[in-house]
Amino acid sequence: MEVGRLRKVMDGLSAEPVASADGYVLSSKREVAVLLPPSDGDVARVGFLLADGASWSAQGLAEHAGISRRTAQRALGALVTSGGAVRAGKGKHVRYARVGGTIASRMLLLGLVPRR
């Protein structure tokens, strides 16, 4: 469903998401520039993943960002302290979220989330 929406948004840009063995890749007839967060630090990487508004566990964020769980927890702590994310739940049911647009989930679908 998200890929269909992405195709609709990208209509007329000479680029489209195409299924591959590893997920989706961006197929384009011209050069494509990928915009990354202003910083490639752990906090920025975790914040980038949270930007889709979905709630994530620290472990899920760590796996997708290519960092350790403890590093993800430190980055999440910094985001919660600065007001960039909210924490909900207790114990192993803790989830983190940030209100934002849907670009991160689309970047994740395309395999473009920055990794270490």
Side-chain angles (χ1 to χ4, degrees):
M1 180 179 243
E2 283 293 321
V3 174
R5 290 182 190 152
L6 183 57
R7 281 192 176 110
K8 194 175 204 178
V9 168
M10 295 180 70
D11 188 39
L13 296 177
S14 300
E16 67 175 328
V18 177
S20 74
D22 296 323
Y24 285 87
V25 296
L26 187 62
S27 173
S28 177
K29 296 176 184 175
R30 57 185 176 174
E31 192 172 325
V32 175
V34 178
L35 302 177
L36 297 176
S39 168
D40 63 351
D42 298 327
V43 175
R45 189 176 293 112
V46 169
F48 184 70
L49 287 168
L50 285 174
D52 69 350
S55 65
W56 291 75
S57 67
Q59 183 63 40
L61 285 165
E63 289 172 5
H64 283 89
I67 57 179
S68 72
R69 181 178 177 162
R70 183 63 190 125
T71 300
Q73 289 170 331
R74 280 194 296 272
L76 287 164
L79 285 167
V80 168
T81 300
S82 69
V86 293
R87 178 186 166 152
K90 291 185 179 185
K92 64 181 180 179
H93 302 290
V94 172
R95 297 277 188 248
Y96 298 86
R98 183 167 81 175
V99 178
T102 59
I103 191 162
S105 62
R106 290 179 183 162
M107 298 295 277
L108 186 59
L109 280 172
L110 294 172
L112 299 176
V113 173
R115 291 185 180 254
R116 279 196 137 160

